[in-house]
PDB file of all heavy atoms in Angstrom:
ATOM      1  N   GLN A1533     -20.466 -19.450 -17.600  1.00 96.00           N
ATOM      2  CA  GLN A1533     -20.232 -20.852 -17.929  1.00 96.00           C
ATOM      3  C   GLN A1533     -18.785 -21.092 -18.356  1.00 96.00           C
ATOM      4  O   GLN A1533     -18.159 -22.086 -17.966  1.00 96.00           O
ATOM      5  CB  GLN A1533     -21.191 -21.288 -19.039  1.00 96.00           C
ATOM      6  CG  GLN A1533     -22.655 -21.306 -18.618  1.00 96.00           C
ATOM      7  CD  GLN A1533     -23.582 -21.647 -19.771  1.00 96.00           C
ATOM      8  OE1 GLN A1533     -23.138 -21.786 -20.923  1.00 96.00           O
ATOM      9  NE2 GLN A1533     -24.869 -21.773 -19.483  1.00 96.00           N
ATOM     10  N   GLN A1534     -18.260 -20.162 -19.148  1.00 95.00           N
ATOM     11  CA  GLN A1534     -16.874 -20.292 -19.599  1.00 95.00           C
ATOM     12  C   GLN A1534     -15.910 -20.232 -18.428  1.00 95.00           C
ATOM     13  O   GLN A1534     -14.977 -21.050 -18.329  1.00 95.00           O
ATOM     14  CB  GLN A1534     -16.558 -19.177 -20.602  1.00 95.00           C
ATOM     15  CG  GLN A1534     -15.104 -19.137 -21.040  1.00 95.00           C
ATOM     16  CD  GLN A1534     -14.829 -17.970 -21.975  1.00 95.00           C
ATOM     17  OE1 GLN A1534     -15.696 -17.532 -22.715  1.00 95.00           O
ATOM     18  NE2 GLN A1534     -13.623 -17.458 -21.934  1.00 95.00           N
ATOM     19  N   THR A1535     -16.115 -19.287 -17.514  1.00 95.00           N
ATOM     20  CA  THR A1535     -15.223 -19.144 -16.364  1.00 95.00           C
ATOM     21  C   THR A1535     -15.299 -20.359 -15.452  1.00 95.00           C
ATOM     22  O   THR A1535     -14.273 -20.874 -14.994  1.00 95.00           O
ATOM     23  CB  THR A1535     -15.582 -17.871 -15.574  1.00 95.00           C
ATOM     24  OG1 THR A1535     -15.511 -16.739 -16.444  1.00 95.00           O
ATOM     25  CG2 THR A1535     -14.618 -17.667 -14.420  1.00 95.00           C
ATOM     26  N   ASN A1536     -16.513 -20.836 -15.181  1.00 96.00           N
ATOM     27  CA  ASN A1536     -16.669 -22.023 -14.335  1.00 96.00           C
ATOM     28  C   ASN A1536     -16.036 -23.248 -14.982  1.00 96.00           C
ATOM     29  O   ASN A1536     -15.438 -24.085 -14.290  1.00 96.00           O
ATOM     30  CB  ASN A1536     -18.150 -22.277 -14.061  1.00 96.00           C
ATOM     31  CG  ASN A1536     -18.737 -21.256 -13.117  1.00 96.00           C
ATOM     32  OD1 ASN A1536     -18.035 -20.648 -12.316  1.00 96.00           O
ATOM     33  ND2 ASN A1536     -20.040 -21.043 -13.203  1.00 96.00           N
ATOM     34  N   SER A1537     -16.161 -23.355 -16.297  1.00 96.00           N
ATOM     35  CA  SER A1537     -15.537 -24.479 -17.003  1.00 96.00           C
ATOM     36  C   SER A1537     -14.013 -24.408 -16.891  1.00 96.00           C
ATOM     37  O   SER A1537     -13.346 -25.429 -16.673  1.00 96.00           O
ATOM     38  CB  SER A1537     -15.961 -24.465 -18.468  1.00 96.00           C
ATOM     39  OG  SER A1537     -15.308 -25.493 -19.188  1.00 96.00           O
ATOM     40  N   MET A1538     -13.463 -23.211 -17.038  1.00 95.00           N
ATOM     41  CA  MET A1538     -12.015 -23.050 -16.914  1.00 95.00           C
ATOM     42  C   MET A1538     -11.554 -23.362 -15.489  1.00 95.00           C
ATOM     43  O   MET A1538     -10.512 -23.996 -15.285  1.00 95.00           O
ATOM     44  CB  MET A1538     -11.621 -21.620 -17.288  1.00 95.00           C
ATOM     45  CG  MET A1538     -11.826 -21.294 -18.751  1.00 95.00           C
ATOM     46  SD  MET A1538     -11.480 -19.557 -19.147  1.00 95.00           S
ATOM     47  CE  MET A1538      -9.730 -19.471 -18.792  1.00 95.00           C
ATOM     48  N   ARG A1539     -12.314 -22.946 -14.500  1.00 96.00           N
ATOM     49  CA  ARG A1539     -11.962 -23.240 -13.111  1.00 96.00           C
ATOM     50  C   ARG A1539     -11.976 -24.741 -12.844  1.00 96.00           C
ATOM     51  O   ARG A1539     -11.053 -25.277 -12.221  1.00 96.00           O
ATOM     52  CB  ARG A1539     -12.938 -22.533 -12.173  1.00 96.00           C
ATOM     53  CG  ARG A1539     -12.767 -21.026 -12.084  1.00 96.00           C
ATOM     54  CD  ARG A1539     -13.916 -20.406 -11.327  1.00 96.00           C
ATOM     55  NE  ARG A1539     -13.778 -18.971 -11.162  1.00 96.00           N
ATOM     56  CZ  ARG A1539     -14.760 -18.173 -10.764  1.00 96.00           C
ATOM     57  NH1 ARG A1539     -15.965 -18.689 -10.490  1.00 96.00           N
ATOM     58  NH2 ARG A1539     -14.560 -16.871 -10.635  1.00 96.00           N
ATOM     59  N   ARG A1540     -13.036 -25.415 -13.299  1.00 96.00           N
ATOM     60  CA  ARG A1540     -13.115 -26.861 -13.071  1.00 96.00           C
ATOM     61  C   ARG A1540     -11.970 -27.592 -13.766  1.00 96.00           C
ATOM     62  O   ARG A1540     -11.372 -28.516 -13.198  1.00 96.00           O
ATOM     63  CB  ARG A1540     -14.460 -27.388 -13.574  1.00 96.00           C
ATOM     64  CG  ARG A1540     -15.639 -27.033 -12.677  1.00 96.00           C
ATOM     65  CD  ARG A1540     -16.868 -27.837 -13.072  1.00 96.00           C
ATOM     66  NE  ARG A1540     -17.287 -27.536 -14.433  1.00 96.00           N
ATOM     67  CZ  ARG A1540     -18.158 -26.588 -14.750  1.00 96.00           C
ATOM     68  NH1 ARG A1540     -18.696 -25.835 -13.791  1.00 96.00           N
ATOM     69  NH2 ARG A1540     -18.496 -26.384 -16.008  1.00 96.00           N
ATOM     70  N   ASP A1541     -11.677 -27.189 -14.999  1.00 96.00           N
ATOM     71  CA  ASP A1541     -10.594 -27.838 -15.733  1.00 96.00           C
ATOM     72  C   ASP A1541      -9.254 -27.631 -15.033  1.00 96.00           C
ATOM     73  O   ASP A1541      -8.434 -28.557 -14.971  1.00 96.00           O
ATOM     74  CB  ASP A1541     -10.537 -27.285 -17.161  1.00 96.00           C
ATOM     75  CG  ASP A1541      -9.408 -27.906 -17.967  1.00 96.00           C
ATOM     76  OD1 ASP A1541      -9.442 -29.117 -18.212  1.00 96.00           O
ATOM     77  OD2 ASP A1541      -8.466 -27.166 -18.347  1.00 96.00           O
ATOM     78  N   PHE A1542      -9.038 -26.424 -14.506  1.00 95.00           N
ATOM     79  CA  PHE A1542      -7.755 -26.134 -13.864  1.00 95.00           C
ATOM     80  C   PHE A1542      -7.621 -26.863 -12.528  1.00 95.00           C
ATOM     81  O   PHE A1542      -6.629 -27.563 -12.284  1.00 95.00           O
ATOM     82  CB  PHE A1542      -7.598 -24.625 -13.658  1.00 95.00           C
ATOM     83  CG  PHE A1542      -6.352 -24.251 -12.911  1.00 95.00           C
ATOM     84  CD1 PHE A1542      -5.098 -24.445 -13.468  1.00 95.00           C
ATOM     85  CD2 PHE A1542      -6.423 -23.713 -11.638  1.00 95.00           C
ATOM     86  CE1 PHE A1542      -3.942 -24.106 -12.776  1.00 95.00           C
ATOM     87  CE2 PHE A1542      -5.285 -23.379 -10.942  1.00 95.00           C
ATOM     88  CZ  PHE A1542      -4.038 -23.572 -11.510  1.00 95.00           C
ATOM     89  N   TYR A1543      -8.633 -26.701 -11.658  1.00 95.00           N
ATOM     90  CA  TYR A1543      -8.522 -27.250 -10.306  1.00 95.00           C
ATOM     91  C   TYR A1543      -8.747 -28.760 -10.249  1.00 95.00           C
ATOM     92  O   TYR A1543      -8.205 -29.426  -9.359  1.00 95.00           O
ATOM     93  CB  TYR A1543      -9.512 -26.543  -9.376  1.00 95.00           C
ATOM     94  CG  TYR A1543      -9.125 -25.120  -9.074  1.00 95.00           C
ATOM     95  CD1 TYR A1543      -9.834 -24.046  -9.624  1.00 95.00           C
ATOM     96  CD2 TYR A1543      -8.036 -24.829  -8.264  1.00 95.00           C
ATOM     97  CE1 TYR A1543      -9.473 -22.743  -9.366  1.00 95.00           C
ATOM     98  CE2 TYR A1543      -7.668 -23.516  -8.002  1.00 95.00           C
ATOM     99  CZ  TYR A1543      -8.396 -22.478  -8.552  1.00 95.00           C
ATOM    100  OH  TYR A1543      -8.030 -21.180  -8.297  1.00 95.00           O
ATOM    101  N   ASP A1544      -9.523 -29.306 -11.181  1.00 96.00           N
ATOM    102  CA  ASP A1544      -9.822 -30.738 -11.138  1.00 96.00           C
ATOM    103  C   ASP A1544      -8.898 -31.574 -12.017  1.00 96.00           C
ATOM    104  O   ASP A1544      -8.716 -32.768 -11.741  1.00 96.00           O
ATOM    105  CB  ASP A1544     -11.277 -30.994 -11.566  1.00 96.00           C
ATOM    106  CG  ASP A1544     -12.272 -30.374 -10.600  1.00 96.00           C
ATOM    107  OD1 ASP A1544     -11.873 -30.073  -9.447  1.00 96.00           O
ATOM    108  OD2 ASP A1544     -13.441 -30.168 -10.990  1.00 96.00           O
ATOM    109  N   VAL A1545      -8.348 -30.964 -13.063  1.00 95.00           N
ATOM    110  CA  VAL A1545      -7.548 -31.741 -14.020  1.00 95.00           C
ATOM    111  C   VAL A1545      -6.104 -31.245 -14.104  1.00 95.00           C
ATOM    112  O   VAL A1545      -5.161 -31.998 -13.832  1.00 95.00           O
ATOM    113  CB  VAL A1545      -8.201 -31.710 -15.423  1.00 95.00           C
ATOM    114  CG1 VAL A1545      -7.369 -32.523 -16.411  1.00 95.00           C
ATOM    115  CG2 VAL A1545      -9.622 -32.243 -15.363  1.00 95.00           C
TER     116      VAL A1545
END
Side-chain angles (χ1 to χ4, degrees):
Q1533 293 176 355
Q1534 175 183 330
T1535 303
N1536 288 335
S1537 177
M1538 292 175 65
R1539 288 170 178 167
R1540 286 192 298 269
D1541 179 64
F1542 176 67
Y1543 289 108
D1544 296 341
V1545 180

